Amino acid sequence: MRYLKRTWPFHLMLLPALVFLIVFNYVPMGGIVMAFQDYKPWLHISGSPWIGLDNFRLLFERDDSMQVIWNTFLIAVLKIVFNLVTPFAFAILLNEVRQRFLSRSIQTMVYLPHFLSWVILGGILLEFLSSDGGFVNRMLHGAFGIKPIPFLGDGDWFRFTVIVSEVWKEFGYGTIVFLAALAGINPSLYEAAEMDGASRWKQTLHITIPSLIPIAVVVGTLALGNILNAGFDQIFNLYNALVMDKGDIIDTFVYRTAISDGQFGFATAVGLFKSVISMVLIVISYRLAYKWANYRVF
Amino acid sequence: MYHKTVPYRIFNVFNVIILLLLALACVIPLIHVLAVSFSAKSAADGNLVGLWPVDFTTIAYAKTIDNPVFLSSLWVALKRTVLGTAAILAVACLAAYPLSKENAQFGGRSVYSWLFVFTMIFNGGLVPFYIVIQRLHLMDSFWVLVLPGVVNVWLIILLMNFFRGIPKELEEAALIDGCGHIGILWRIYLPVSLPALATLGLFAMVWHWNSWFDGLLYLSDKHMYPLATYLQTVIVSRDMSSMSFTKQEFDLLSQKTINAAQIFIGALPILIVYPFLQRFFVKGLVMGSVKE
């Protein structure tokens, strides 16, 4: 009683958030039982027949779902790698620019795409990368005489386009955290190296890069949880029937099997498969980030 | 001094050129779209437009603004952004305050924390969520765009970390003076957190403005779509049924120029708040990484 008397305002303040959290986050979690059912909308969860692990067996037996898992993994891993390496290198190069105005202008330009949605960027890229006289193909043809490249019309090119455009959108934003780390390096390290006659390249190799490694480890580790996140918004707004075999990912697959085909039980199972693996990876990655770099969110 | 050596100067020149080219690559697609939107049909359809309008005209914008579905989607987008952001901030302030307390002062804190954090690492997935929305009778309702997004755990954590930086003495003094916790939040915490709230508000606004999937999934009437969903159906899925053309317009207007105009209008609010965002978001990132 004394506890409640002292803390009731806290509970009251948490109440609104808690209500929404329960309704929109925890109640849907109960719905994952559908993964073990042959769910029929008119029978609801209570009346639909239970089929055990059949949906999961189907997931591993169907060729299309296995292909989708592989696509997702491949695209996501490449995105993680390039979203780490590109900002890392870009930040080091940008740090060499001494003219403040120039550095600021470059930053302003590279941060911008992060804030635009994939609907806007998708609309832009569909036109910009079109093999039918799109801007990029016109430039390539004009400069090198290259035949039009099907950036969005061929499976392998599509994967390439998805990864490059993702990095294009996010690398600037990813630079921020590295720039902050660079600003935190003790200047006396460079002064000492200068005295010893170390060139700028040597300084970069022995001071700059080692100082960035811890933060890179944290960023990289935390990205582990995204290993099955290939980017629904992006793929959904860029893909088409031509690239379905190599460009379809778990999230788009779940959307289509549920909303277009009405296989709710199967779609739930595929989604659950992804959620569980992601959860395990996120927990592991946060543990590691805490152990290696003392990083914590909460 | 390395700055004065010849190899470093050569490197510096190349470095600046490469960085500038990369930076330009980030904005060129947007400039191209802007150029197409102001170009004439023949130039756009003939793929003649580069980074500058050819045969300047504003007819694509005139036609876009004339479209009732576009206008209604603009209104829905504004409404959801304003209401959604207000709701997110209000709930976040209320939740972040108790969560920012020490365990000694608020014993239930860690239980609540886990309830919040768990939703960041696990979710029921698309289908169960869809069923819940259906059972709540939120399908085809405007509120489906606002209510599910009210609790934003990420923003709550950022705000909680900010609240922790506020000196404890302020709170203790107020408690002695007989001020309750709700009064402390309202009279002390919120006034000193205004810059942080502005940052978080901008993030929430961008998130709401850009959200499109909820509209596509839960709304069936085009007139209820927010702008982002409308743009998705028109530009990406190429559903043109909401637009009608007269013969004369058909000669002047191209699908490309109208799409470009609509894309640019959709991006415009983000471009307008971008200078403010840029000033704040670096701080926002730093704010989130505050450690104990």
Side-chain angles (χ1 to χ4, degrees):
Chain A
M1 267 330 278
R2 267 190 52 221
Y3 170 76
L4 267 184
K5 203 166 179 180
R6 205 157 42 83
T7 59
W8 69 266
F10 295 146
H11 297 283
L12 191 67
M13 287 159 127
L14 282 162
L15 190 64
L18 208 60
V19 169
F20 281 102
L21 208 63
I22 288 169
V23 172
F24 292 110
N25 292 91
Y26 284 100
V27 172
M29 281 181 206
I32 55 183
V33 297
M34 290 164 63
F36 308 96
Q37 289 185 323
D38 182 16
Y39 180 82
K40 301 275 184 263
W42 56 91
L43 295 174
H44 301 305
I45 288 177
S46 51
S48 294
W50 294 88
I51 54 170
L53 293 173
D54 281 6
N55 283 324
F56 293 93
R57 196 173 306 132
L58 199 60
L59 166 68
F60 291 105
E61 278 169 5
R62 273 173 63 164
D63 288 338
D64 56 349
S65 47
M66 286 317 281
Q67 178 70 40
V68 159
I69 292 172
W70 168 241
N71 292 345
T72 309
F73 178 75
L74 187 70
I75 293 173
V77 168
L78 289 171
K79 277 183 176 179
I80 290 173
V81 171
F82 287 107
N83 267 338
L84 184 62
V85 175
T86 320
F88 189 90
F90 193 83
I92 292 176
L93 292 179
L94 191 62
N95 197 41
E96 296 298 317
V97 177
R98 299 283 152 207
Q99 298 84 343
R100 261 184 82 74
F101 173 75
L102 203 57
S103 165
R104 271 295 162 89
S105 312
I106 291 172
Q107 288 179 51
T108 302
M109 288 194 272
V110 298
Y111 296 157
L112 179 62
H114 169 82
F115 294 98
L116 297 171
S117 75
W118 273 114
V119 169
I120 301 283
L121 295 178
I124 292 176
L125 291 181
L126 287 178
E127 146 81 9
F128 196 67
L129 298 174
S130 155
S131 52
D132 180 25
F135 185 80
V136 172
N137 274 317
R138 263 186 283 151
M139 292 295 120
L140 288 174
H141 183 76
F144 309 107
I146 297 173
K147 275 191 294 180
I149 296 171
F151 287 110
L152 298 165
D154 170 85
D156 291 318
W157 275 112
F158 181 77
R159 284 178 178 170
F160 170 84
T161 308
V162 162
I163 291 155
V164 171
S165 59
E166 160 83 15
V167 173
W168 166 75
K169 182 179 192 285
E170 299 297 344
F171 83 91
Y173 197 67
T175 311
I176 296 174
V177 58
F178 291 115
L179 286 177
L182 283 169
I185 298 178
N186 188 346
S188 63
L189 289 174
Y190 290 113
E191 283 157 22
E194 194 91 336
M195 297 270 224
D196 293 343
S199 67
R200 189 59 176 167
W201 170 242
K202 285 262 159 123
Q203 293 176 22
T204 306
L205 216 54
H206 296 293
I207 301 172
T208 313
I209 291 180
S211 321
L212 286 186
I213 292 289
I215 189 82
V217 169
V218 172
V219 175
T221 318
L222 296 184
L224 261 183
N226 280 328
I227 225 153
L228 289 181
N229 248 340
F232 175 82
D233 284 19
Q234 180 193 21
I235 305 263
F236 190 80
N237 285 311
L238 289 176
Y239 79 164
N240 54 62
L242 289 174
V243 298
M244 207 57 104
D245 57 335
K246 292 190 173 164
D248 198 15
I249 57 165
I250 293 178
D251 293 327
T252 47
F253 183 73
V254 169
Y255 172 80
R256 282 199 324 281
T257 40
I259 308 301
S260 315
D261 307 346
Q263 302 175 32
F264 294 105
F266 180 61
T268 310
V270 179
L272 183 60
F273 170 79
K274 184 197 154 184
S275 297
V276 169
I277 291 185
S278 299
M279 178 176 71
V280 171
L281 286 171
I282 292 172
V283 171
I284 293 174
S285 67
Y286 273 76
R287 279 268 160 83
L288 291 178
Y290 180 58
K291 212 171 118 186
W292 291 339
N294 218 10
Y295 173 92
R296 54 187 301 188
V297 181
F298 227 76
Chain B
M1 290 299 278
Y2 70 84
H3 292 285
K4 302 225 164 68
T5 62
V6 176
Y8 188 79
R9 284 187 173 173
I10 295 172
F11 158 79
N12 208 12
V13 170
F14 278 102
N15 187 30
V16 168
I17 291 173
I18 290 172
L19 292 178
L20 275 178
L21 284 178
L22 279 172
L24 281 177
C26 288
V27 289
I28 277 181
L30 211 62
I31 296 172
H32 174 66
V33 163
L34 189 60
V36 170
S37 72
F38 282 116
S39 295
K41 177 188 170 84
S42 56
D45 287 352
N47 295 321
L48 301 172
V49 185
L51 300 176
W52 199 253
V54 177
D55 303 330
F56 185 88
T57 165
T58 55
I59 190 164
Y61 287 91
K63 180 68 187 168
T64 300
I65 291 171
D66 230 21
N67 178 2
V69 181
F70 179 85
L71 287 181
S72 72
S73 72
L74 198 61
W75 171 238
V76 173
L78 279 174
K79 216 163 55 164
R80 83 169 286 176
T81 304
V82 171
L83 288 173
T85 305
I88 287 176
L89 286 183
V91 170
C93 287
L94 284 173
Y97 177 79
L99 291 178
S100 71
K101 298 296 164 216
E102 300 290 332
N103 277 332
Q105 194 183 354
F106 177 32
R109 180 187 168 272
S110 46
V111 177
Y112 282 111
S113 302
W114 275 111
L115 276 175
F116 281 93
V117 170
F118 187 67
T119 63
M120 291 177 93
I121 60 177
F122 187 76
N123 63 72
L126 177 73
V127 183
F129 194 77
Y130 185 87
I131 308 269
V132 168
I133 297 289
Q134 241 175 3
R135 299 298 281 276
L136 289 171
H137 300 288
L138 281 174
M139 299 292 278
D140 291 311
S141 148
F142 165 77
W143 296 102
V144 78
L145 305 176
V146 175
L147 298 181
V150 166
V151 175
N152 187 316
V153 179
W154 190 243
L155 290 191
I156 292 176
I157 293 179
L158 289 178
L159 196 58
M160 177 194 83
N161 281 329
F162 187 85
F163 281 171
R164 284 194 176 156
I166 297 174
K168 295 258 177 312
E169 290 75 17
L170 286 175
E171 183 194 335
E172 283 158 10
L175 278 175
I176 291 167
D177 289 347
C179 189
H181 283 290
I182 291 166
I184 293 173
L185 173 63
W186 184 248
R187 297 213 189 94
I188 298 174
Y189 276 56
L190 291 190
V192 302
S193 319
L194 281 182
L197 287 173
T199 315
L200 301 183
L202 277 175
F203 274 99
M205 277 163 67
V206 170
W207 181 79
H208 261 293
W209 185 263
N210 282 341
S211 291
W212 57 277
F213 188 57
D214 44 10
L216 188 69
L217 204 53
Y218 308 121
L219 303 176
S220 50
D221 180 3
K222 282 197 190 75
H223 291 86
M224 295 177 75
Y225 278 176
L227 183 63
T229 309
Y230 167 79
L231 288 178
Q232 205 279 336
T233 55
V234 171
I235 292 158
V236 181
S237 310
R238 310 206 175 247
D239 169 12
M240 292 307 291
S241 54
S242 66
M243 272 200 184
S244 55
F245 297 98
T246 61
K247 170 78 181 65
Q248 190 200 4
E249 281 173 340
F250 199 75
D251 294 335
L252 289 167
L253 283 160
S254 128
Q255 182 74 65
K256 277 189 187 171
T257 60
I258 293 182
N259 276 355
Q262 298 188 114
I263 288 175
F264 193 74
I265 296 176
L268 197 59
I270 305 284
L271 298 179
I272 291 171
V273 301
Y274 181 62
F276 302 99
L277 264 178
Q278 202 200 348
R279 212 173 55 206
F280 282 131
F281 67 69
V282 177
K283 217 191 298 169
L285 278 183
V286 175
M287 198 159 78
S289 62
V290 172
K291 286 165 212 148
E292 292 167 73

